[in-house]
Amino acid sequence: MKIISSPQLLQEEIIKLKRKGNTIGFVPTMGYLHDGHLSLIRRARKDCDVVVVSIFVNPLQFGPREDLKKYPRNFKKDSALCKKYTDILFYPNVREMYPDDFLTEIEVNKLSNVLCGASRPGHFKGVATVVNKLFNIIFPDMAYFGQKDAQQAVIIKKMVKDLNIPADIKVMPTVREKDGLAMSSRNSYLSRQERGDAAVLYRSLILAKNMVKKGATDSNKIISKMRNLILNKKSAKIDYISIVNPETLDPLKKMNKQALVLLAVFVGKTRLIDNILIRR
Amino acid sequence: MKIISSPQLLQEEIIKLKRKGNTIGFVPTMGYLHDGHLSLIRRARKDCDVVVVSIFVNPLQFGPREDLKKYPRNFKKDSALCKKYTDILFYPNVREMYPDDFLTEIEVNKLSNVLCGASRPGHFKGVATVVNKLFNIIFPDMAYFGQKDAQQAVIIKKMVKDLNIPADIKVMPTVREKDGLAMSSRNSYLSRQERGDAAVLYRSLILAKNMVKKGATDSNKIISKMRNLILNKKSAKIDYISIVNPETLDPLKKMNKQALVLLAVFVGKTRLIDNILIRR
């Protein structure tokens, strides 16, 4: 595994690799890797000739009061974890990605301003911009994202389509702990008590799924039951619970053939997200 | 010369050509080609293995009260004009470039909101977005723009740098009519009287250059003289005259080593732009 920190050197390397006919699989991450990330990397390994993983805590996607500074980092452990499946580990620094005179932003309108985008203004602009840069450096044939960040995946797919980027976006299932909690680097923030409480997010999603299975169709009723379940936990504060069209993210009053149930919940001070796709 | 209208087919064709080691030279245009465009196309022919010209009147860069509908078009003449130097003519339709669900926009902050961007809100967002799309379809090694659209060239260069796009942006000198008027598709709007008056734009730029040569350094004084010269023409209404740093577009109170003098003037109802780079 090569570790490259210069965007330009990586770009030159990739151009050489592509000229030889290699397909490139790319997994963008913010590091502090867990089994969710590793599932993406292993899938890239199966699909592509060359696997590139990036580790970059992207300041552009953090709001001024968010956790950029304390976001967990462990490069040594990360590079050991992905070594087995990765050909190139891209580990740029902030200065090289965003020089002082950096001015360009990519906005996927509408999709970026709802759900997590409403709670975190500018977040998805930061995500779209960094992913666009990474794609221009790495030219992936396939790029891998987790379903846990469902809104992010929808936005990246839309950007790729709108801007004619020739990359295939693969969205892989959420990997969960034994009690159902979606794996996330931010789980490391949780106290023991909070960690226990956090399992309620997934349980509320399963509750929604079971309600639909038994015939429930009214989104408000489903959301209300989820809300009650979650608020049983004292450490939990709901940011949003929403049931939407999985592609347009438009709210659904009634359950459709396909519905995406998403939620963001503060457990203590830690904001966690999760979602489930329900097919009728 | 191949004429291709499908973005996807062109992209596939380009990928094949690049895999064979060809370099791609690209000239994006809105058609109604004149010698300014042809100078770019001829230069691309000299520099690159494959020359791609696009003709697309980009609705995204026109304001709601601007001249999108009446913008001059003549595809037959255009394709005849560029045939000699062009390998692929890309002629997409609006629906294929912007499907109904199109949502993504690229903004080069700060640079896009001054000068022509102040008079034409959203214009450079439209320019940056379409050029980004075209670059993703065509992957140019070199792309050619005219110095006449100086602000556009600065913004495209910035976008390319900020987003790590591996294209070399070449900005070529403005091509002028005998009386100095910068060639522009919009010159076709001018009446005979207006066409005569329009030469005052370039004369005002030469006036600025001569003043600097004779030692003038105060931008306001230079602009004031230019203004007086232009307003001698009854058909002329000044949108702006500005003297700026050629890279940052920040206004210069005093002439620097390098200064870009730009102006936009309505001649009758036709908005014309021009500029000159002055080195001391």
Side-chain angles (χ1 to χ4, degrees):
Chain A
M1 184 177 76
K2 267 191 200 178
I3 299 172
I4 299 181
S5 69
S6 154
Q8 207 187 324
L9 287 184
L10 176 56
Q11 194 175 51
E12 287 165 11
E13 179 85 16
I14 297 283
I15 289 172
K16 274 185 222 160
L17 288 164
K18 294 209 82 158
R19 217 165 258 159
K20 288 181 195 158
N22 290 293
T23 56
I24 313 288
F26 174 45
V27 182
T29 84
M30 300 214 299
Y32 216 73
L33 303 180
H34 51 64
D35 281 350
H37 299 109
L38 295 178
S39 76
L40 307 180
I41 299 170
R42 278 191 295 259
R43 176 62 187 265
R45 181 76 284 162
K46 273 191 198 164
D47 293 345
C48 300
D49 300 323
V50 174
V51 174
V52 182
V53 173
S54 68
I55 294 182
F56 180 61
V57 181
N58 173 36
L60 230 58
Q61 72 190 68
F62 287 80
R65 285 178 210 169
E66 290 182 3
D67 57 341
L68 172 61
K69 272 193 185 163
K70 73 164 183 174
Y71 194 86
R73 291 157 168 93
N74 190 340
F75 182 71
K76 224 172 181 177
K77 194 178 164 204
D78 286 345
S79 61
L81 275 172
C82 60
K83 203 169 187 172
K84 193 173 162 192
Y85 313 101
T86 303
D87 300 299
I88 300 175
L89 183 56
F90 182 44
Y91 185 53
N93 66 47
V94 173
R95 281 250 148 170
E96 264 176 309
M97 290 293 276
Y98 304 116
D100 281 341
D101 63 349
F102 188 87
L103 291 175
T104 305
E105 283 180 323
I106 297 187
E107 169 116 48
V108 181
N109 290 307
K110 197 179 156 268
L111 299 175
S112 295
N113 303 319
V114 297
L115 305 168
C116 285
S119 313
R120 306 183 66 189
H123 170 66
F124 288 113
K125 215 189 247 187
V127 170
T129 303
V130 79
V131 170
N132 190 286
K133 279 173 67 73
L134 291 167
F135 281 13
N136 283 333
I137 295 165
I138 292 158
F139 297 107
D141 295 271
M142 294 183 187
Y144 300 81
F145 294 83
Q147 174 63 22
K148 202 209 78 179
D149 298 291
Q151 186 175 8
Q152 170 178 280
V154 169
I155 288 168
I156 296 301
K157 276 189 186 173
K158 195 77 186 77
M159 176 183 77
V160 160
K161 180 168 178 277
D162 283 355
L163 296 181
N164 305 88
I165 298 171
D168 202 348
I169 304 303
K170 303 280 186 195
V171 182
M172 306 295 294
T174 303
V175 177
R176 300 182 178 283
E177 305 286 353
K178 275 187 189 161
D179 64 356
L181 178 65
M183 290 199 182
S184 164
S185 309
R186 287 191 172 99
N187 293 348
S188 64
Y189 296 152
L190 299 169
S191 71
R192 196 173 159 159
Q193 168 73 38
E194 290 165 350
R195 173 62 193 81
D197 290 354
V200 79
L201 274 76
Y202 184 59
R203 275 195 280 121
S204 77
L205 294 171
I206 293 298
L207 172 66
K209 192 175 174 182
N210 288 335
M211 285 179 74
V212 174
K213 208 186 276 180
K214 286 179 191 157
T217 58
D218 183 320
S219 295
N220 280 337
K221 275 188 189 159
I222 297 168
I223 290 170
S224 164
K225 291 275 185 191
M226 292 172 70
R227 185 175 298 275
N228 290 340
L229 182 69
I230 293 168
L231 293 180
N232 277 334
K233 302 292 173 191
K234 275 199 180 154
S235 68
K237 214 184 100 193
I238 294 168
D239 179 3
Y240 69 81
I241 305 177
S242 198
I243 300 182
V244 304
N245 176 309
E247 279 173 32
T248 64
L249 304 183
D250 288 332
L252 293 174
K253 285 191 179 176
K254 293 273 166 195
M255 293 300 295
N256 229 328
K257 268 189 190 170
Q258 284 205 44
L260 184 63
V261 184
L262 309 102
L263 77 179
V265 175
F266 284 93
V267 177
K269 290 186 174 179
T270 304
R271 189 174 177 280
L272 300 176
I273 59 173
D274 202 349
N275 68 85
I276 197 168
L277 186 68
I278 299 180
R279 288 170 228 261
R280 282 178 76 197
Chain B
M1 183 177 77
K2 265 191 201 179
I3 299 172
I4 299 181
S5 69
S6 153
Q8 206 187 325
L9 287 183
L10 176 56
Q11 194 176 51
E12 287 166 12
E13 178 86 14
I14 297 283
I15 289 172
K16 275 185 220 160
L17 287 164
K18 294 209 83 159
R19 218 165 257 160
K20 288 181 195 159
N22 290 292
T23 56
I24 312 287
F26 174 44
V27 182
T29 83
M30 299 213 299
Y32 216 72
L33 303 180
H34 52 64
D35 280 351
H37 299 110
L38 294 179
S39 76
L40 306 180
I41 299 171
R42 278 192 294 260
R43 175 62 187 267
R45 181 77 284 161
K46 273 191 196 163
D47 293 345
C48 300
D49 299 324
V50 174
V51 175
V52 182
V53 174
S54 67
I55 295 182
F56 180 60
V57 181
N58 172 35
L60 229 59
Q61 72 189 68
F62 287 81
R65 285 179 210 169
E66 290 182 2
D67 57 342
L68 173 61
K69 271 192 185 163
K70 73 165 184 174
Y71 195 87
R73 292 156 167 95
N74 190 340
F75 181 71
K76 224 172 182 179
K77 194 179 163 202
D78 286 346
S79 62
L81 275 172
C82 60
K83 202 170 188 172
K84 193 174 162 190
Y85 312 101
T86 303
D87 299 300
I88 299 175
L89 182 56
F90 181 43
Y91 185 53
N93 66 47
V94 172
R95 282 250 147 171
E96 264 175 309
M97 290 292 276
Y98 304 117
D100 280 343
D101 63 348
F102 189 86
L103 292 174
T104 306
E105 285 180 322
I106 298 187
E107 171 115 48
V108 181
N109 290 307
K110 198 177 154 268
L111 299 175
S112 295
N113 302 320
V114 297
L115 305 168
C116 285
S119 313
R120 305 182 67 189
H123 170 65
F124 288 114
K125 213 188 248 188
V127 170
T129 303
V130 79
V131 170
N132 190 286
K133 279 173 67 74
L134 291 167
F135 281 12
N136 284 334
I137 295 165
I138 292 158
F139 297 108
D141 295 271
M142 295 184 186
Y144 300 82
F145 293 84
Q147 174 63 23
K148 202 208 79 180
D149 298 291
Q151 185 175 9
Q152 170 177 280
V154 169
I155 288 168
I156 296 301
K157 276 188 186 173
K158 195 77 187 74
M159 175 183 77
V160 160
K161 179 168 179 277
D162 282 355
L163 296 181
N164 306 87
I165 298 171
D168 202 348
I169 304 301
K170 302 281 186 195
V171 182
M172 305 296 294
T174 303
V175 178
R176 300 182 178 283
E177 304 286 355
K178 276 186 188 160
D179 64 354
L181 177 65
M183 289 199 184
S184 164
S185 309
R186 286 192 172 98
N187 292 350
S188 65
Y189 296 152
L190 300 169
S191 72
R192 197 173 160 162
Q193 168 71 39
E194 290 165 352
R195 174 62 193 80
D197 289 355
V200 78
L201 274 76
Y202 185 58
R203 275 194 280 121
S204 77
L205 294 171
I206 294 298
L207 172 66
K209 193 176 174 181
N210 287 335
M211 286 179 74
V212 174
K213 208 184 276 180
K214 286 178 190 156
T217 58
D218 184 318
S219 296
N220 279 337
K221 276 188 190 160
I222 296 167
I223 290 170
S224 164
K225 292 275 186 190
M226 292 173 70
R227 185 175 297 276
N228 291 339
L229 182 68
I230 292 168
L231 293 181
N232 277 334
K233 303 292 174 187
K234 275 198 180 153
S235 68
K237 214 183 101 193
I238 294 168
D239 179 3
Y240 69 81
I241 305 176
S242 198
I243 300 182
V244 304
N245 176 309
E247 278 173 33
T248 64
L249 304 182
D250 289 332
L252 294 175
K253 285 190 180 178
K254 294 271 168 200
M255 293 300 296
N256 228 328
K257 269 189 190 170
Q258 284 204 45
L260 184 62
V261 184
L262 310 103
L263 78 179
V265 176
F266 284 93
V267 178
K269 290 187 173 175
T270 304
R271 189 174 178 279
L272 300 176
I273 59 173
D274 203 349
N275 68 86
I276 198 167
L277 186 69
I278 300 180
R279 289 169 227 261
R280 284 179 75 195

